[in-house]
């Protein structure tokens, strides 16, 4: 049996989404087919509004409604501390922790020579340009603790340090609620080497 | 930080999809925000076309472009054997096996008193009605091998047997490529009790 063409096309389009394989796409398409038209139209219009009403901040590339995002416009935040992250979703994650009172800079990815992602694709030159107009005291590198994130952190640290700015990196160690027995060697190694004095 | 409203709404709508939690919905929304408008519009129009161009077959409730689906219209298929499945996706799965040459009947779910799904919500009366107009020799019950699927199979068998029709159920046993050592007791139990003579 040939799958009906509109279903086939919807499955193909849905399976282009990240983390959605062919089977999940088929399940989603059949679910949408069974859902009432009103709910499906609400979903479609919410995605459409996402594309038409949101953009990326001109300064930090965070998700924004206006030219500059709410964080860049907020005068209560410390504009001398910039936290560098990979993706806009990382801004949301760090904001939830309520621990960072400064601003952000979203790189849009990490260096990955194998996938053809070089420094020119990321928003690195825009970060360097911010030093010309903003008074920046500290750059916090908050990239993912994987090989590519570490390599990108090193690359950025080498670029930024000569500008006489404090460059820090978020700590690696045991996650809160984690179990030492089940942690991997690399995490335990980092937790030990990064130990701090109890005062 | 408050998440921008259009993003918030899109995340909420996406997380209504089956198997998509809040985190996945956020990842999908941010992915769509980063994707070029043309690709997103292709996705949206494919879902819209799904809703406007497809319907369910009037006879068997399979996915269909016309009033009757391709399988019901196909005169080369055996219209005296009807395979009863839970969802339209099961039709696709069985068709891929190329083992069933008859027709189908999609129930639209299984009996589940706890979720409030009784016989009147499923397409059971439509199945019984088919006996009035069609010459049916065999009903193959191909529901999922879980508690609700088994209960629904029993319920259907009791309804259909008095109509003097052969009622069969697809076999339960070890999956092809599976490993006896790692199979659960219930599966091994069914495989043993359902053993067949090698001729």
């Amino acid at each position: 049996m040939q799958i009906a063409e509109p279903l086939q096309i919807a499955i193909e389009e849905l399976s282009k989404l990240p983390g959605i394989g062919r089977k999940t796409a088929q399940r989603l398409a059949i679910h949408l087919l069974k859902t009432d038209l009103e709910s499906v139209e609400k979903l479609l219009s919410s995605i459409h509004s996402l594309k038409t009403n949101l953009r990326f901040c001109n300064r930090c590339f965070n998700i924004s409604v206006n030219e500059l995002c709410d964080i860049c416009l907020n005068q209560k935040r410390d504009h001398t501390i910039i936290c560098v992250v990979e993706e806009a979703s990382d801004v949301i994650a760090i904001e939830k922790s309520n621990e960072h009172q400064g601003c952000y800079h979203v790189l849009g990815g990490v260096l990955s020579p194998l996938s053809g992602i070089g420094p020119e694709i990321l928003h690195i030159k825009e970060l360097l340009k911010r030093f010309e107009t903003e008074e920046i005291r500290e750059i916090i590198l908050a990239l993912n603790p994987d090989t590519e994130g570490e390599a990108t952190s090193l690359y950025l640290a080498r670029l930024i340090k000569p500008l006489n700015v404090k460059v820090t990196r978020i700590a690696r160690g045991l996650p809160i609620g984690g179990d030492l027995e089940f942690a991997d060697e690399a995490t335990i190694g980092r937790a030990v080497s990064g130990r701090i004095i109890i005062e």
Side-chain angles (χ1 to χ4, degrees), chain A:
Chain A
M1 182 190 74
Q2 243 193 313
I3 300 178
E5 209 195 349
L7 180 62
Q8 187 89 53
I9 295 173
I11 292 173
E12 258 163 45
E13 289 297 327
L14 283 166
S15 60
K16 285 179 190 165
L17 295 172
I20 309 260
R22 239 196 117 70
K23 285 221 167 176
T24 312
Q26 182 180 306
R27 195 153 49 88
L28 288 178
I30 290 177
H31 168 85
L32 289 169
L33 196 56
K34 285 174 70 181
T35 308
D36 60 298
L37 190 63
E38 199 191 341
S39 304
V40 174
E41 274 176 353
K42 261 172 83 179
L43 170 69
L44 297 185
S45 78
S46 78
I47 295 173
H48 193 257
S49 142
L50 191 74
K51 290 302 286 181
T52 47
N53 295 326
L54 289 184
R55 41 175 298 168
F56 294 103
C57 171
N58 269 1
R59 189 186 287 162
C60 75
F61 301 96
N62 183 19
I63 292 164
S64 176
V65 178
N66 305 303
E67 274 201 18
L68 290 181
C69 73
D70 290 352
I71 296 176
C72 282
L73 288 173
N74 188 343
Q75 287 309 317
K76 283 185 189 153
R77 300 196 68 121
D78 189 342
H79 286 251
T80 65
I81 305 178
I82 292 177
C83 179
V84 178
V85 294
E86 288 178 27
E87 302 288 352
S89 48
D90 299 328
V91 173
I92 299 174
I94 294 175
E95 283 298 290
K96 275 188 190 152
S97 80
N98 260 326
E99 199 64 44
H100 174 60
Q101 305 303 326
C103 292
Y104 290 91
H105 190 85
V106 181
L107 286 182
V110 277
L111 295 174
S112 175
L114 288 175
S115 320
I117 302 177
E120 69 289 351
I121 293 177
L122 306 176
H123 300 305
I124 293 179
K125 55 183 180 304
E126 290 90 343
L127 173 62
L128 297 176
K129 214 153 189 184
R130 289 179 71 171
F131 286 92
E132 295 170 13
T133 51
E134 297 171 50
E135 195 196 319
I136 298 168
R137 283 189 301 120
E138 180 177 354
I139 291 284
I140 304 173
L141 298 171
L143 307 183
N144 285 331
D146 51 23
T147 324
E148 291 168 346
E150 301 273 344
T152 310
S153 290
L154 270 175
Y155 177 87
L156 289 174
R158 271 185 210 152
L159 275 181
I160 299 164
K161 267 189 187 161
L163 305 171
N164 263 330
V165 180
K166 187 167 141 193
V167 179
T168 58
R169 196 180 55 184
I170 56 168
R172 283 90 169 80
L174 289 169
I176 301 304
D179 195 320
L180 210 131
E181 187 186 353
F182 300 119
D184 60 297
E185 312 92 65
T187 301
I188 296 182
R190 288 306 193 87
V192 172
S193 69
R195 66 194 179 278
I196 56 168
I197 296 167
I198 301 173
E199 280 167 25

